[in-house]
Amino acid sequence: MKIGFIGAGRMGGPIVERLIAAGNDVTVLTRGSETRSTAKAKGWNTSDTIEQTVQSAELVISIVLNDEQVQAALLGSGGAVAAMAPGAILVQHTTCDPDTAVMVADAGAERGVHVLDAAVSGSPQDTAAGRLTLWVGGDEYVLDSVRPVLESYGSPVMHVGPIGHGQRVKLVNNALFVAQIGLAVDAVRLAAAVGIGEAEILAAIQHGSGDSRALRSLAWIGVDAVGIRLAELMLKDVDVIRQIADRTGADLGLIGEVLSSELVEREVLYSGAPPNRELIEQTPLTPGSMKPSM
C-alpha cells in the first residue's frame, strides 16, 4: 500500500522498517532534525509537511507521544484528516483519551476517511520482531482491509469493539501494569525484610505463580531505576485514566488505591517529576521481548 507515516520515533521507527520490508511504499514525516537524519541514513522516502505526507496515501499511520500531539497532528485545518483523500484509512496508535479517538473518527467521517483506534502494547524489540500487540477499535471491515499491513509488525491484531475501545483497553492494561510494578517493588521490600536479596527474589519468582510481565520488567530494570525508566510514559497514561474515572464516575477500586499509594507515587511514577535523561541512558535496556513466547 501507499502509506503516509507520522511519528517515526522510538516506537514508530521500527514500524516503518517493518512496513518497508513488507513491500509498502512509505512516506515518513520528518520535521525534526533527529528524525530527518535517521530517515536519510536509512534511505526512507520523506516529507516535511503533514499534507505532503498524507495527501496521496491509501493508509496513514500515526504514533506520536500524547493526546495533545494527536490532536495537533490529526485535527484542524493543518491536520492529517483534512489533507487525506476520501476513502483513505487512518490508523491512530498513540495512547490518548478515548474521547479524542472519537473526535478523530468524527472528523474523518465528515471527509469520508475511515479511522481505526489502534492502541499498542509492547516494546521497539517486539515491533522489530513483528509481535507488537494491537487493540483496535472501529469498524471490523475497515480493519480487515488493512490487517495484512498491520500484521507486518503486529501480532496479535485484535478487534476490541467500536472507536475508543482500543484506548480503553490500553488504559486499563497500563493501570494494571503500573499497579503490578508497584506490587512487585513491594515484594522486593518484603523479601529484604526476611533476608532475601532483590536479584534472588525476582529471579526465583519468575519460575513461580507470582510471575508477571511487570515482575520480569522490574527484574531487568531494577528497583532503583524503574521510575526513571517508566515514569515518563506511564504517568501520562495513569493521569488519563484518572481523568476518565473522574469524568464518568468509574470506580478505580483496588487498582486506584495501589496507584495512589506512596510507594507507587515515589518509586514508579516519581510524583510527576520530569525524567532525568542522563539517568535514563544509564539504566539497562530490555534484552528482548517481554511478551511471553507464542
Side-chain angles (χ1 to χ4, degrees):
M1 296 187 76
K2 188 171 181 57
I3 299 172
F5 198 95
I6 300 171
R10 177 176 175 270
M11 288 295 292
I15 295 177
V16 172
E17 293 284 349
R18 295 286 300 192
L19 291 169
I20 293 172
N24 296 289
D25 178 6
V26 184
T27 298
V28 180
L29 177 65
T30 54
R31 290 189 292 191
S33 58
E34 184 176 345
T35 305
R36 190 176 298 113
S37 61
T38 298
K40 181 178 180 180
K42 293 180 177 293
W44 294 347
N45 296 325
T46 64
S47 173
D48 293 334
T49 70
I50 288 177
E51 182 179 9
Q52 291 172 354
T53 303
V54 309
Q55 62 186 357
S56 61
E58 303 165 86
L59 171 64
V60 172
I61 297 174
S62 175
I63 181 165
V64 293
L65 179 61
N66 54 34
D67 198 294
E68 291 75 17
Q69 290 188 10
V70 169
Q71 296 192 41
L74 303 183
L75 298 175
S77 59
V81 172
M84 291 173 65
I89 297 170
L90 170 62
V91 173
Q92 199 296 105
H93 285 318
T94 306
T95 305
C96 65
D97 191 311
D99 284 357
T100 298
V102 173
M103 287 170 55
V104 174
D106 288 347
E110 293 179 3
R111 293 257 325 152
V113 170
H114 306 288
V115 175
L116 293 173
D117 158 37
V120 301
S121 179
S123 67
Q125 290 81 5
D126 293 316
T127 308
R131 298 184 59 222
L132 190 66
T133 295
L134 273 62
W135 294 306
V136 186
D139 289 334
E140 194 163 10
Y141 78 90
V142 176
L143 171 59
D144 288 342
S145 71
V146 294
R147 184 180 289 275
V149 176
L150 302 184
E151 287 180 342
S152 69
Y153 57 92
S155 179
V157 177
M158 302 176 63
H159 184 254
V160 295
I163 290 288
H165 270 33
Q167 298 305 320
R168 294 182 181 99
V169 171
K170 173 65 180 289
L171 291 167
V172 172
N173 174 83
N174 280 16
L176 180 59
F177 177 75
V178 173
Q180 289 175 334
I181 285 282
L183 291 173
V185 170
D186 204 40
V188 170
R189 177 204 58 78
L190 175 61
V194 296
I196 305 173
E198 175 182 332
E200 290 75 19
I201 192 64
L202 292 175
I205 292 178
Q206 288 182 63
H207 299 280
S209 58
D211 188 28
S212 66
R213 184 173 180 181
L215 184 135
R216 281 176 277 134
S217 296
L218 184 64
W220 63 258
I221 297 173
V223 169
D224 290 342
V226 70
I228 297 168
R229 173 64 66 184
L230 298 180
E232 182 178 15
L233 292 176
M234 291 301 165
L235 179 60
K236 70 181 181 64
D237 293 353
V238 170
D239 283 345
V240 171
I241 200 163
R242 285 170 171 163
Q243 291 165 13
I244 293 170
D246 287 343
R247 189 171 69 228
T248 64
D251 181 6
L252 294 179
L254 184 57
I255 290 177
E257 291 181 27
V258 175
L259 294 178
S260 298
S261 68
E262 182 182 354
L263 182 146
V264 169
E265 290 285 348
R266 183 183 67 247
E267 301 290 344
V268 183
L269 299 179
Y270 270 29
S271 299
N276 185 321
R277 291 293 179 187
E278 183 176 342
L279 289 177
I280 288 174
E281 293 303 319
Q282 295 172 7
T283 63
L285 297 173
T286 174
S289 173
M290 297 308 296
K291 296 175 69 173
S293 298
M294 296 294 190

